[in-house]
Amino acid sequence: MLAHTMTEKILAHASHQPSVRPGQIVDGYVDLLYMHEMLALALKPFNEIGVKKIWDPSKCVVTIDHWVPPPTPEVARMHQAIREFCWAQGISRFHDVGDHGIVHQLVVERGYVHPGELVIGCDSHTNMAGALGAFAAGIGATETAAVMATGKLWLKVPETIDVRVHGKLAKRTGAKDVILKVIQTTGDDGASYKAVEFHGDTIQAFPMNERFTLSNMTTEMGAKAGMIPSDAATKRYLEAAGAATAYQPLDADPGAAYLRTYDLDVDAMGPQVACPNNPANVKPVGEVAGVKIDMAFLGSCTNARIEDLRAAAELLKGEQVAPRVRMIVTPASQAIYRQAVQEGLAGIFLEAGATFTSSTCGPCFGGHMGVLGPKEVCISSTNRNYPGRMGSPEAQVYLGSPYTVAASALYGQITDPREA
Amino acid sequence: METVLRGRAWKFGDDVSTDHIIAGRYLTSTDPKVLGEHAMENVDPQFVKKVKPGDVIVAATNFGCGSSREQAPIALKAAGISCVVANTFARIFYRNSINIGFPVVECPGLPEKVKEGDTVTVDLAAGHVVLPSGETMPFHPLPPNILEILNAGGLVPKLRAELAAKSG
Ligand code: SF4
């Protein structure tokens, strides 16, 4: 029997075939379809297709995350349309304002994603759910409508790139630094149309929150999916999230054929920063240390989990954000927000002079709640820094870990967190 | 669907992201007309004023990288662009374009041969681009399932027709 990658095994399973090979076009039956405000844009095509009911409301999850709470009447109307649709269609897993979260975080923390599944989300960072051993890929609005109508979508089985990471990282260095290094190596289109699988002792040692950050930013390699084989840490996470336990992990066979293998030795590697205006323009933090900042943003699906907030609080406790710098802390979900309040992290941020907001994508995509003006410089825990991403096209965005963001906020300039 | 597209070329480099194509601040709109008025504004604020219906975008690698916003191809289509030809595309932009019936073609090497303002002819059925000199640049013909979607005018008309055939 031929050896297969995770992608091939999951897509064979999802398309009800004994096996599939890269390049083959298959119809994949979706285990989970999740949506945010993009659903509003999918309503018109959905109605035009001409079906009345979605294929299976129990396989759908909806929340709102990009603009929460709504900043304009247009957005409020969008949210209304989503609400009405979810109620009419019987989507019970609709998480409205107050119970919401950035959708990628919400679906994993609520236990909606399981290893071996075909997960489709109407957002490019759906890759994040691949950290649980699922094949998770993003689509646009029209295709979301098509999946709601039919429960399936066409997929070209991608070739897989194997990324092996070994070694023990330096202090205050983590998955964000590793994935930035990987993106520097591959370029921001190095995995276009391909799937990525992570292996190696560094990955195995990462807790789930770090794995989510890794898979999340495979999108910035151009990848269709970014997967991590499930193991004991996955199982513990799923149990804690109250996920169904009857899942079937589909991990790669020994000897599976990869298109390419990257071996990355991260022994003693320190923090990394992506410089304007490309997530692949990565340098060790020491080379950009001293760049003055106007804003520090800790948020997004990439790095705003409770562990990220704890890391930032470790540096900010009893300290003050530098003069002339504003810091915005935006948890990735309301569950994380509640926990941050209970653990006293919210108090630490507020005492330090930071703003602590309810969960939203907001500043990450230049939408609201902290948009950059012309020539402003920001250090951000998010995943993209293309021109105009966080506001003015003339703003300069640097991407780094929560530690790097917090250290930079304290000193008013990009700072190596090991020295903070 | 029109399979021979002819228009002036607008040239762009590598990594034109969806943030370039339509900025996040306009995503509160789902109206193609509004989106079209702001196409490429982050790169060239005058772009939509200069474009004529039928014009073609010729770009280098990784066109449409970044977010999954379908507003990106919608904005280009609404601005009058008939087709994008690039060395390579980012995956979701590619799928979104096909799904809304907006032709996108990978023709590696074309950008080096085309100057801004050149009139080019993109022949989707024949699988080549004709340059002003008369030279032709071949590209891999689109896979049958993609051609089927484009011919139907997009994924929605295709599914609608299939459903009608089933129930009829
Ligand atoms: S936080 Fe940013 S990257 Fe994540 S889903 Fe929201 S807009 Fe996209």
Side-chain angles (χ1 to χ4, degrees), chain B residues 27-158:
Chain B
L27 298 183
T28 52
S29 176
T30 53
D31 180 354
K33 194 169 157 284
V34 175
L35 296 167
E37 284 164 7
H38 299 288
M40 289 291 183
E41 192 177 278
N42 272 350
V43 192
D44 176 359
Q46 300 304 315
F47 182 74
V48 293
K49 293 214 181 72
K50 298 187 288 194
V51 165
K52 286 203 203 106
D55 283 358
V56 173
I57 284 179
V58 175
T61 58
N62 204 25
F63 189 86
C65 59
S67 84
S68 59
R69 62 187 71 155
E70 196 161 302
Q71 287 96 331
I74 293 175
L76 294 179
K77 193 179 181 188
I81 298 293
S82 65
C83 147
V84 185
V85 189
N87 286 334
T88 57
F89 288 92
R91 186 185 79 79
I92 301 181
F93 179 87
Y94 186 88
R95 280 185 91 102
N96 282 343
S97 300
I98 301 296
N99 287 336
I100 63 161
F102 180 56
V104 282
V105 168
E106 291 195 336
C107 184
L110 185 75
E112 290 94 275
K113 304 232 170 187
V114 174
K115 290 193 305 300
E116 178 126 322
D118 280 358
T119 297
V120 294
T121 306
V122 184
D123 192 326
L124 297 174
H128 62 230
V129 179
V130 189
L131 303 172
S133 63
E135 187 190 347
T136 60
M137 287 281 292
F139 55 80
H140 274 301
L142 300 169
N145 70 314
I146 287 180
L147 263 180
E148 224 181 283
I149 298 172
L150 280 179
N151 282 331
L155 187 58
V156 167
K158 177 174 177 277

Side-chain angles (χ1 to χ4, degrees), chain A residues 235-418:
Chain A
K235 189 158 180 281
R236 276 197 305 276
Y237 181 89
L238 289 166
E239 282 167 4
T245 45
Y247 57 82
Q248 167 85 49
L250 291 167
D251 295 338
D253 298 322
Y258 293 99
L259 176 70
R260 268 196 299 282
T261 299
Y262 289 102
D263 260 293
L264 196 68
D265 185 357
V266 295
D267 229 4
M269 187 188 90
Q272 308 288 314
V273 172
C275 302
N277 289 320
N278 192 299
N281 186 16
V282 173
K283 295 186 177 139
V285 66
E287 283 182 30
V288 281
V291 171
K292 295 248 178 307
I293 58 164
D294 300 291
M295 179 165 121
F297 177 53
L298 179 64
S300 88
C301 54
T302 315
N303 273 125
R305 278 172 274 285
I306 194 71
E307 295 84 354
D308 300 319
L309 269 46
R310 286 181 194 142
E314 174 190 327
L315 297 183
L316 290 166
K317 185 164 189 180
E319 304 284 345
Q320 282 295 306
V321 169
R324 303 192 182 187
V325 172
R326 54 188 189 275
M327 183 174 191
I328 300 175
V329 182
T330 304
S333 71
Q334 286 305 94
I336 296 168
Y337 186 99
R338 279 195 296 275
Q339 196 175 345
V341 170
Q342 282 159 6
E343 286 187 16
L345 304 177
I348 293 174
F349 297 132
L350 295 173
E351 291 297 326
T355 300
F356 186 65
T357 82
S358 72
S359 179
T360 182
C361 297
C364 172
F365 74 107
H368 65 131
M369 298 277 275
V371 177
L372 295 171
K375 306 253 164 45
E376 286 196 317
V377 179
C378 178
I379 179 87
S380 176
S381 72
T382 55
N383 48 35
R384 276 190 194 126
N385 59 351
Y386 295 113
R389 170 69 179 174
M390 292 184 71
S392 165
E394 292 159 62
Q396 305 267 296
V397 177
Y398 293 81
L399 306 175
S401 73
Y403 274 125
T404 303
V405 168
S408 306
L410 281 181
Y411 290 93
Q413 54 187 23
I414 296 180
T415 301
D416 185 336
R418 292 170 298 179

Side-chain angles (χ1 to χ4, degrees), chain A residues 97-241:
Chain A
V97 179
D99 181 39
H100 67 282
I102 301 175
V103 71
H104 310 297
Q105 173 62 25
L106 183 120
V107 295
V108 298
E109 74 186 18
R110 305 279 171 125
Y112 296 158
V113 174
H114 311 90
E117 289 182 340
L118 173 58
V119 174
I120 295 296
C122 67
D123 187 278
S124 59
H125 287 96
T126 302
N127 294 34
M128 189 177 112
L132 286 168
F135 184 91
I139 57 173
T142 299
E143 212 158 15
T144 298
V147 175
M148 286 197 292
T150 64
K152 60 175 186 175
L153 80 171
W154 68 268
L155 290 162
K156 189 164 164 187
V157 180
E159 292 164 305
T160 302
I161 295 174
D162 185 17
V163 178
R164 306 191 152 264
V165 189
H166 314 277
K168 199 166 168 339
L169 292 158
K171 183 185 163 199
R172 291 184 181 155
T173 309
K176 180 60 158 287
D177 307 293
V178 170
I179 190 66
L180 288 175
K181 191 76 197 165
V182 172
I183 297 166
Q184 178 192 37
T185 312
T186 62
D188 73 340
D189 64 346
S192 249
Y193 310 126
K194 311 287 189 296
V196 172
E197 273 181 37
F198 289 100
H199 297 102
D201 50 74
T202 315
I203 310 296
Q204 282 162 358
F206 275 147
M208 279 315 303
N209 68 299
E210 293 275 66
R211 296 184 189 183
F212 289 134
T213 302
L214 272 183
S215 288
N216 179 288
M217 283 194 74
T218 56
T219 303
E220 278 59 52
M221 304 160 69
K224 185 166 186 160
M227 286 164 289
I228 299 176
S230 55
D231 60 10
T234 322
K235 189 158 180 281
R236 276 197 305 276
Y237 181 89
L238 289 166
E239 282 167 4

